[in-house]
Amino acid sequence: MKRALQAAHEAADAGEVPVGAVVMRGDEVIAVAANATRSPPDPTGHAEVRALRMAAEALGQDRLTDCELWVTLEPCAMCAGAISHARISKLYYAASDSKGGAVEHGARVFEQEQCLHSPEVYSGMGADEAAQLLRGFFRERR
């Protein structure tokens, strides 16, 4: 989670919403990504989607069944769908997102019978740092 938090700080420094994600296979870091929706303009440039794309490319496969995803914020519905399609085995996320999250809030994507694959989900690691980073980022913009 430390590496995902570092990526989130890098996103904030670039003026992006501070979210970072890391794909791991065992002890190996496969991909690290930060939010990048503004430059270049890409509404799908969420850290999770970017990390999944990088991992798939690095491994040469679309199914990441032996990989885990670490992310600093509860994934939205788009990202949860991508996580399911990638067949990620375990999802770890830091801060919950009662407004936009779709794992334990909102759509609860992994609980839907239409969901193709549900990873094991663990939350709360690094939650305080991730939440403080997000609050500070948005406070500066208001």
Side-chain angles (χ1 to χ4, degrees):
M1 188 60 77
K2 287 182 181 183
R3 185 61 188 97
L5 287 164
Q6 182 181 356
H9 282 280
E10 292 165 7
D13 291 344
E16 297 280 354
V17 174
V19 178
V22 176
V23 175
M24 304 271 309
R25 184 168 65 178
D27 292 333
E28 181 184 7
V29 174
I30 304 299
V32 179
N35 264 11
T37 61
R38 297 194 172 151
S39 181
D42 178 6
T44 68
H46 291 198
E48 301 95 309
V49 171
R50 295 183 70 232
L52 293 172
R53 286 177 182 156
M54 290 176 194
E57 184 174 339
L59 297 173
Q61 60 193 49
D62 61 330
R63 302 281 171 100
L64 306 175
T65 56
D66 55 349
C67 295
E68 303 173 347
L69 178 65
W70 294 75
V71 63
T72 59
L73 183 65
E74 178 181 353
C76 69
M78 175 184 68
C79 294
I83 291 163
S84 176
H85 282 278
R87 307 299 200 271
I88 289 290
S89 65
K90 295 178 184 172
L91 167 65
Y92 299 88
Y93 68 88
S96 293
D97 184 356
S98 61
K99 292 181 182 178
V103 176
E104 70 176 302
H105 296 92
R108 297 179 185 252
V109 170
F110 302 134
E111 295 176 18
Q112 304 306 312
E113 63 183 78
Q114 297 89 352
C115 185
L116 302 171
H117 167 79
S118 298
E120 292 179 35
V121 177
Y122 304 92
S123 62
M125 297 74 53
D128 290 339
E129 182 178 347
Q132 286 177 346
L133 180 59
L134 285 158
R135 279 193 297 271
F137 177 82
F138 287 113
R139 186 174 26 254
E140 289 177 12
R141 275 142 186 81
R142 290 187 183 122

